[in-house]
Amino acid sequence: MSFTSQNKPVFALCDANSFYASCEKVFRPDLRTTPVVVLSNNDGCVIAQSKEAKAMLDLYMCKPWFEVEKEAKKLGVVEFSSNYELYANMSNRFMATLRQFAPRQEVYSIDESFLDLTGIKRDLVAYGQDIKNTVFQWTGLPICVGIGHTKTLAKLANHCAKKQPAMNGVCDFTSMNQSELDNLMEKLPVSKVWGIGSKLEAKLNQVGVHNVLRLKRADTKRIRDQFGVLLERTIKELNGESWLALDETLPEAKQVMSSRSFGSRVNTLADLEQAISYHAANAGERLRKHGLYANMVYVFIQNSPFDKAEYYGASRVVALPSPTDCTLQITRVALWLLKQIYKEGIYYQKAGVMLMELVPASGQQTDLFSGEATATKKSNLMATLDSINSKYSKGTIKLASEGVEKVWAMRRSYKSPNYTGDWKDLPSVH
């Protein structure tokens, strides 16, 4: 049994298991014990696997689906195209549920979140079980919880919670004595420590550091001289010295990009204009969501570097007269840039729009010649556009230049319904 101390910080890392695959299973109870894989854009590679699929296929991440599809289907594996709208919505529900359990939270990724449990006067293993069970009851997502006196230890504890069934999804390093913790760390390869990739692991192995315990006991001065200050801080974190604070604020975006590979090749300017219009509108919507304005617009188009034909990739950027978040203005500029770089006879595979040099509303330097009334009209128009698309569904109102029949649209042959984001896709009970 472990209770937190007012003086020593305690962090929990809550991580959803096989997040994309788990989201697909939430609304398909018939697949609860079925092996499931989720595919990347255009159904190219395997990017997520349920635990059943991992046990059967033993695939490395981003394995091309066509290489294993025949074998996987023989084993009863069910494939899904990436449903990013569903995953984003489920992530928001997951994070909102976790906020009930701690006064401070850091959203680390779409399926991971740190909680500050410092000062909580409860048995932390039982508290971790409460978190795990509540998340599953409220969202249907299975998660694991790792608890430690530093974020690095919490991350390592989460790995142990996933890999050791006896822990039942919760591992609390703060409840272990030093001998228990050292024995556990001795069995873990050094690559399981947060921030240590394959290249750094190989270098550490060369100096005799093969497991987590050896890294924990390494000489910090020697490590700093040879590997830098970041690894020195990691060692201090492994020894219970907190150097990584909880970050409750998301870093301000420096750029916003919208880009996708095409579902089928595009070789006409008209089709490319539709794609660029879509990406410009999508980037503009994200910009407004963050309350930012763009000073520059960047557009690129390319064919595949693996084509037999000569590779062609072109891009161009232009500075705007004044910062804007208006989809109309961004799209107009993006289409002008496209015409500068378009080349006939190329079968294009990918295109995108990036908005750069972003500033908040307070940081705008307005155009001397654009009236306040015009700016207000544009702002009201964009607010109305976003409101309608949010209330009904994305794309309810869009620019005509985006087209209707999108031959270039990303291929998602196995996409599940958007159960949580579209009225038409709400689950029905018979």
Side-chain angles (χ1 to χ4, degrees), residues 190 196-210 215 222-223 226-227 231:
V190 72
I196 296 183
S198 57
K199 290 184 179 179
L200 183 53
E201 179 188 19
K203 291 178 181 178
L204 287 168
N205 288 346
Q206 287 174 4
V207 296
V209 179
H210 294 276
L215 181 64
R222 180 187 172 194
I223 290 292
Q226 194 166 349
F227 297 99
L231 191 56

Side-chain angles (χ1 to χ4, degrees), residues 71-252:
E71 178 193 353
K73 289 193 172 180
K74 280 183 183 177
L75 295 171
V77 175
V78 176
E79 74 274 44
F80 286 97
S81 303
S82 296
N83 189 341
Y84 300 115
E85 300 86 353
L86 173 66
Y87 307 152
N89 205 317
M90 293 299 290
S91 176
N92 290 336
R93 294 182 180 198
F94 174 36
M95 300 306 167
T97 304
L98 292 178
R99 286 189 200 105
Q100 318 293 318
F101 292 95
R104 299 173 64 224
Q105 177 187 31
E106 175 188 339
V107 177
Y108 181 64
S109 69
I110 192 171
D111 62 346
E112 291 179 279
S113 181
F114 286 102
L115 301 178
D116 184 0
L117 304 186
T118 307
I120 291 180
K121 300 293 186 181
R122 282 195 58 181
D123 174 7
L124 293 183
V125 174
Y127 197 58
Q129 291 293 340
D130 284 349
I131 295 172
K132 182 172 77 80
N133 295 335
T134 302
V135 169
F136 186 77
Q137 183 180 7
W138 290 12
T139 69
L141 295 172
I143 73 166
C144 285
V145 181
I147 302 170
H149 285 302
T150 69
K151 289 169 74 174
T152 301
L153 287 172
K155 187 90 169 170
L156 192 63
N158 187 278
H159 169 78
C160 295
K162 285 180 182 291
K163 299 299 180 182
Q164 299 191 23
M167 293 184 173
N168 195 24
V170 177
C171 177
D172 177 20
F173 280 176
T174 68
S175 67
M176 298 181 185
N177 60 45
Q178 200 59 55
S179 177
E180 288 176 316
L181 196 53
D182 287 350
N183 286 337
L184 190 151
M185 288 183 173
E186 192 172 18
K187 297 173 185 175
L188 296 174
V190 72
S191 60
K192 299 305 178 185
V193 175
W194 190 20
I196 296 183
S198 57
K199 290 184 179 179
L200 183 53
E201 179 188 19
K203 291 178 181 178
L204 287 168
N205 288 346
Q206 287 174 4
V207 296
V209 179
H210 294 276
N211 59 53
V212 177
L213 183 61
R214 289 294 296 272
L215 181 64
K216 176 185 174 183
R217 291 176 174 174
D219 181 82
T220 53
K221 185 179 185 306
R222 180 187 172 194
I223 290 292
R224 177 172 182 158
D225 291 343
Q226 194 166 349
F227 297 99
V229 67
L230 292 180
L231 191 56
E232 179 195 22
R233 289 179 181 175
T234 297
I235 293 174
K236 291 180 177 179
E237 286 250 327
L238 288 173
N239 282 280
E241 195 176 322
S242 182
W243 281 79
L244 299 172
L246 207 68
D247 188 358
E248 297 177 84
T249 59
L250 292 174
E252 191 172 280

Side-chain angles (χ1 to χ4, degrees), residues 31-76:
L31 299 179
R32 188 157 292 165
T33 59
T34 302
V36 166
V37 297
V38 178
L39 308 179
S40 63
N41 296 344
N42 296 310
D43 300 333
C45 301
V46 176
I47 57 170
Q49 309 168 66
S50 67
K51 63 180 182 181
E52 297 87 1
K54 288 177 184 176
M56 283 185 178
L57 299 174
D58 192 27
L59 300 179
Y60 61 82
M61 193 59 74
C62 293
K63 177 85 169 178
W65 176 238
F66 75 88
E67 292 183 8
V68 296
E69 181 177 7
K70 193 172 181 181
E71 178 193 353
K73 289 193 172 180
K74 280 183 183 177
L75 295 171

